[in-house]
């Protein structure tokens, strides 16, 4: 269970939460609703460690408030899947490369079944800028579920979806929650309100639980095949295939800069060696001196009498 106790948040002398309480349990689809500016984004940021706020944060009776920033990042990577209202992608990677890269980085699973259910099979070879808002949301949901996290947190996941895809997303997330996971959704969608197990409403600086279904049945959890292959160099190469002309120019400029630096270094060494050879010649010439005669003499000395 994820639990936030005694939530107190103030922004610019404005009270957002005053001793509020929130909890989300495994095997339940939990919704958080509220008016614009009521504090949904603040609560979302507290749950995902983007804003510490002032509260007692517990997960499975473990105090998460005392964790360092590094430990919080590890917890997010291992236990959480987060989908923001505006998803972020790498523009130079195709969707299939995003999936493969996330599988490699987060030790994810092969979930082709979700690809078909979300209806994104046809966009696998496209780049993010070629996708619609709804397609980006569906892809981001898939990426968040790749490593089968214990906690899923969504911010308006159906805002850019039509009724058909909204129903698919709700069914998928509810099924995932009932497999024993925690799913938290911040939304205004009335359809999701009808399907939720628990609903919290933000009102007058507090979180009020206005719906809580009892005895939610748990369905059998699916087992996926883990993907362990790492192909980072392959993705870097594919990034350079996109926008080829611009990148060829940049590579040429970098190569020219490296060549110029190498030439400068070699030229500097050649000048140093030249003067070192001249000094060696002077040293090897030698100077003759006869004790019985105070006259100096040389045989074609390379230095003048004044220096001698």
């Amino acid at each position: 269970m994820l639990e936030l106790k005694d939530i107190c948040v103030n922004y610019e002398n404005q009270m957002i939460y005053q001793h509020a309480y929130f909890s989300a349990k495994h095997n339940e689809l939990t919704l958080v609703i509220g008016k614009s500016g009521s504090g949904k984004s603040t609560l979302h940021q507290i749950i995902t460690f983007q804003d510490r706020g002032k509260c007692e944060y517990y997960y499975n009776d473990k105090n998460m408030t005392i964790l360092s920033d590094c430990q919080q990042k590890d917890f997010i990577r291992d236990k959480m899947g987060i989908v923001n209202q505006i998803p972020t992608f790498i523009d130079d990677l195709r969707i299939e490369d995003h999936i493969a890269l996330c599988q490699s980085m987060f030790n994810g699973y092969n979930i082709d079944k979700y690809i078909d259910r979300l209806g994104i099979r046809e966009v696998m070879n496209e780049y993010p800028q070629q996708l619609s808002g709804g397609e980006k949301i569906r892809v981001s949901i898939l990426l968040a579920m790749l490593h089968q996290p214990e906690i899923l947190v969504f911010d308006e996941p159906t805002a850019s979806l039509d009724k058909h895809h909204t129903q698919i997303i709700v069914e998928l997330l509810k099924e995932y929650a009932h497999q024993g996971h925690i799913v938290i959704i911040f939304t205004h969608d009335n359809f999701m309100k009808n399907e939720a197990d628990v609903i919290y409403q933000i009102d007058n600086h507090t979180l009020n639980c206005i719906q809580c279904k009892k005895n939610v049945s748990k369905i059998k959890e699916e087992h996926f095949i883990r993907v362990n292959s790492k192909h980072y160099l392959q993705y870097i190469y594919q990034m350079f295939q996109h926008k080829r002309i611009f990148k060829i120019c940049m590579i040429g400029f970098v190569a020219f800069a490296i060549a110029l630096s190498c030439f400068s270094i070699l030229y500097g060494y050649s000048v140093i060696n030249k003067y070192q050879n001249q000094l060696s010649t002077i040293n090897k010439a030698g100077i003759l001196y006869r004790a019985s005669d105070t006259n100096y003499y040389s045989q074609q000395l390379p230095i003048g009498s004044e220096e001698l």
Side-chain angles (χ1 to χ4, degrees), residues 154-171:
F154 297 90
D155 186 9
E156 298 287 357
T158 60
S160 304
L161 301 177
D162 55 28
K163 185 176 180 180
H164 171 69
H165 288 107
T166 296
Q167 185 172 359
I168 292 174
I169 295 301
V170 172
E171 291 176 355

Side-chain angles (χ1 to χ4, degrees), residues 22-260:
F22 173 81
S23 67
K25 299 179 181 179
H26 292 83
N27 201 47
E28 291 181 351
L29 178 62
T30 304
L31 259 63
V32 180
I33 60 176
K35 297 179 181 179
S36 179
S38 61
K40 293 195 305 299
S41 297
T42 301
L43 183 60
H44 179 276
Q45 291 173 357
I46 292 175
I47 292 173
T48 56
F49 298 102
Q50 299 176 54
D51 186 346
R52 288 182 179 267
K54 182 183 178 183
C55 70
E56 298 178 22
Y57 193 132
Y58 292 91
Y59 178 67
N60 291 342
D61 297 326
K62 180 180 179 180
N63 190 354
M64 311 298 292
T65 312
I66 62 175
L67 297 183
S68 65
D69 292 339
C70 224
Q71 290 173 325
Q72 289 180 356
K73 291 178 181 178
D74 291 339
F75 179 80
I76 293 173
R77 184 189 66 241
D78 298 334
K79 303 292 186 180
M80 275 191 177
I82 303 171
V83 177
N84 296 314
Q85 190 171 358
I86 302 177
T88 303
F89 297 93
I90 303 174
D91 290 339
D92 296 335
L93 284 184
R94 293 174 295 182
I95 299 305
E96 63 178 358
D97 298 326
H98 278 83
I99 295 172
L101 182 58
C102 288
Q103 286 174 331
S104 297
M105 292 177 63
F106 299 103
N107 202 16
Y109 294 82
N110 183 2
I111 50 178
D112 287 338
K113 178 182 176 180
Y114 285 169
I115 294 176
D116 293 328
R117 289 186 63 177
L118 291 169
I120 56 176
R121 180 76 65 181
E122 61 274 11
V123 302
M124 297 294 284
N125 291 322
E126 295 183 0
Y127 291 94
Q129 58 268 31
Q130 297 174 298
L131 305 185
S132 65
E135 289 171 337
K136 288 181 179 180
I137 288 292
R138 284 180 278 153
V139 171
S140 63
I141 291 173
L142 176 71
L143 295 177
M145 299 176 69
L146 275 175
H147 61 299
Q148 297 289 280
E150 295 181 16
I151 306 169
L152 280 177
V153 184
F154 297 90
D155 186 9
E156 298 287 357
T158 60
S160 304
L161 301 177
D162 55 28
K163 185 176 180 180
H164 171 69
H165 288 107
T166 296
Q167 185 172 359
I168 292 174
I169 295 301
V170 172
E171 291 176 355
L172 177 62
L173 297 182
K174 189 173 183 178
E175 177 185 309
Y176 188 81
H178 290 176
Q179 290 174 353
H181 303 99
I182 295 175
V183 179
I184 305 170
I185 301 175
F186 296 81
T187 185
H188 291 97
D189 198 318
N190 290 324
F191 181 76
M192 297 197 74
K193 294 178 186 178
N194 298 330
E195 296 295 323
D197 300 313
V198 178
I199 300 179
Y200 278 88
Q201 183 172 7
I202 304 174
D203 186 24
N204 195 24
H205 315 306
T206 60
L207 284 164
N208 300 314
C209 185
I210 62 175
Q211 175 180 311
C212 183
K213 293 181 180 179
K214 301 295 183 180
N215 301 322
V216 179
S217 59
K218 182 177 179 180
I219 64 177
K220 184 178 179 180
E221 186 173 357
E222 296 186 50
H223 296 283
F224 297 92
I225 300 174
R226 189 177 291 275
V227 178
N228 295 314
S229 58
K230 298 181 182 298
H231 304 288
Y232 302 120
L233 294 178
Q234 175 186 353
Y235 304 129
I236 294 174
Y237 172 74
Q238 290 176 351
M239 287 176 63
F240 277 90
Q241 283 186 319
H242 190 44
K243 299 178 183 177
R244 184 172 297 177
I245 297 177
F246 172 76
K247 287 169 183 174
I248 287 176
C249 294
M250 291 301 298
I251 291 173
F253 175 77
V254 172
F256 174 76
I258 294 174
L260 184 62

Side-chain angles (χ1 to χ4, degrees), residues 275-287 301-303:
Y275 283 103
Q276 284 180 341
N277 292 334
Q278 290 181 355
L279 292 174
S280 297
T281 302
I282 294 174
N283 292 335
K284 291 176 182 179
I287 299 174
L301 291 178
I303 56 178

